[in-house]
Amino acid sequence: MNQAGSRYRTVPEFIIGVTREIWEGRSVASLNHYYAPEMILRSPASVTVGNRAVIAATLATLSELPDRVLLGEDVIWSGGEQDGYLSSHRLFSTATHLCDGIYGPATGKRVAYRIIADCHVNPGLDRIDDEWLIRDQGAIVRQLGSSPEQYARDRIEREGGPEACARPFTPDDDLPGPYAGRGNDNVWGKRYAGVLERIMDADLSVIPEAYDRACQLEHPGGVSGHSHADADRFWLSLRSSFPTAAFSIDHRIGREDLMMPPRAAIRWSLTGEHAGPGAFGPPTGARVHVMGACHAEFGPWGIRREYVLYDETAVWKQILLGAQPARPRSRRKAGE
């Protein structure tokens, strides 16, 4: 897989190496090379265009969380030398909230949270031109002494109120990028996608069938759990909040690698009304889009470890704005 002109031999080496170079090596300017000039970055909060927006957002984050460390836990990838690669990168990040910023006045508190970033990497293994990024904002704001709902309320107010504030990402905001793939047909990706589809079809009996009884679960809000009851509780509370929302598997990867368990990476979405009680309180009827991502590791008795992310603060912002008249949408040129 080694490409002429690239410093990196493999997709995991490129993704992990570039991440460390940018954040811990403080080489923010290298984004001018590693991110294409018109790259598209989608997060639950917004869609941004261009590497200059990414550089601005990176500088803002480093200002607020100057000692941030990003530990690459896994890179689950698909693709090849003809059309490039899709990398699903799971990171565990630690930082101290030392300066004022999007999380409010500096608190001096330590935070730890996960991120999953799906990136399209060119065949030369030296540039990213499409990205889907989900950060566990719920975990961050809880550790800073707030809640996802209160943080969303504060953001709406700081951004000028319901009429003026930035609205979270929905499919209506999306822009076509260079990557149009859907992943691969590996059996492990198919298996995990099938499990999620059954859960979203309200067939929760799949959990004791598909999950190891000793499974480890890492869910939004920095919540850790174990075994079938915790898996059931998490997925039921999400689905019951949006019982009529359309569930979509947007991207699916399965992999088997030396010295690693079989793994799967799924990017998914729920789009519809907040029509039931559950993780987001009493139903409001607000129209909501949930961008989600999962990684799973398989063992001899089923799913051994599961990592699920979506941004609770972006969901709450949509719920709080749900009764507000929509304003014309505009593309944001700076990310969070």
Side-chain angles (χ1 to χ4, degrees):
M1 194 188 301
N2 192 13
Q3 303 290 318
S6 175
R7 296 174 51 193
Y8 300 100
R9 298 175 302 168
T10 68
V11 175
E13 282 185 10
F14 172 76
I15 291 294
I16 293 172
V18 166
T19 301
R20 184 172 183 180
E21 182 178 338
I22 292 167
W23 289 95
E24 294 161 49
R26 290 300 201 264
S27 183
V28 180
S30 66
L31 285 164
N32 284 306
H33 169 72
Y34 290 128
Y35 274 27
E38 296 302 318
M39 69 89 60
I40 299 169
L41 173 59
R42 307 158 190 83
S43 76
S46 64
V47 55
T48 64
V49 180
N51 58 17
R52 302 306 300 175
V54 178
I55 290 170
T58 302
L59 291 171
T61 300
L62 282 172
S63 173
E64 190 169 11
L65 308 170
D67 63 347
R68 187 185 184 201
V69 174
L70 291 91
L71 305 174
E73 293 186 323
D74 200 3
V75 177
I76 304 174
W77 60 276
S78 62
E81 295 181 8
Q82 181 174 351
D83 298 319
Y85 309 90
L86 196 288
S87 155
S88 190
H89 184 199
R90 188 180 76 247
L91 307 100
F92 186 77
S93 185
T94 61
T96 311
H97 187 218
L98 294 175
C99 297
D100 300 352
I102 65 165
Y103 300 114
T107 62
K109 293 183 177 180
R110 291 284 291 170
V111 295
Y113 56 97
R114 281 189 169 84
I115 308 107
I116 294 179
D118 281 13
C119 297
H120 179 240
V121 183
N122 69 339
L125 282 181
D126 61 2
R127 180 161 283 193
I128 294 167
D129 54 21
D130 236 351
E131 184 170 356
W132 295 257
L133 173 70
I134 302 175
R135 183 185 300 113
D136 192 353
Q137 297 278 55
I140 297 172
V141 300
R142 285 184 175 91
Q143 291 169 83
L144 295 179
S146 187
S147 70
E149 180 181 4
Q150 187 58 50
Y151 175 80
R153 289 185 186 277
D154 292 344
R155 286 306 301 267
I156 291 170
E157 181 178 350
R158 291 200 302 268
E159 293 170 354
E163 291 297 324
C165 71
R167 302 217 167 213
F169 173 83
T170 74
D172 292 339
D173 301 309
D174 205 0
L175 298 170
Y179 182 72
R182 300 295 297 271
N184 64 22
D185 290 325
N186 180 277
V187 63
W188 299 105
K190 288 182 175 181
R191 180 176 298 186
Y192 190 37
V195 170
L196 297 182
E197 287 169 341
R198 285 181 62 182
I199 289 173
M200 290 298 164
D201 282 340
D203 184 5
L204 296 170
S205 67
V206 71
I207 290 174
E209 294 175 15
Y211 287 70
D212 190 316
R213 186 168 174 267
C215 61
Q216 172 190 341
L217 309 166
E218 302 294 338
H219 290 155
V223 175
S224 297
H226 293 85
S227 199
H228 299 156
D230 286 347
D232 185 282
R233 187 178 302 112
F234 166 73
W235 286 113
L236 179 59
S237 68
L238 174 63
R239 190 48 162 159
S240 65
S241 295
F242 312 104
T244 59
F247 176 70
S248 171
I249 298 288
D250 301 321
H251 199 271
R252 180 189 72 203
I253 303 173
R255 281 201 68 82
E256 296 178 67
D257 290 298
L258 185 66
M259 299 184 69
M260 296 288 285
R263 290 138 37 241
I266 302 288
R267 191 171 70 248
W268 51 270
S269 56
L270 269 175
T271 306
E273 290 187 0
H274 178 216
F280 295 93
T284 62
R287 184 80 176 170
V288 170
H289 177 73
V290 183
M291 180 194 297
C294 302
H295 283 188
E297 299 177 3
F298 291 85
W301 299 289
I303 295 171
R304 183 71 175 166
R305 295 182 181 87
E306 180 181 57
Y307 305 84
V308 184
L309 284 185
Y310 61 80
D311 182 350
E312 297 167 276
T313 70
V315 176
W316 272 112
K317 196 174 188 183
Q318 292 172 86
I319 290 171
L320 295 171
L321 293 171
Q324 303 295 330
R327 63 180 177 83
R329 295 183 178 272
S330 60
R331 307 299 181 197
R332 298 182 67 192
K333 294 298 180 182
E336 292 191 12

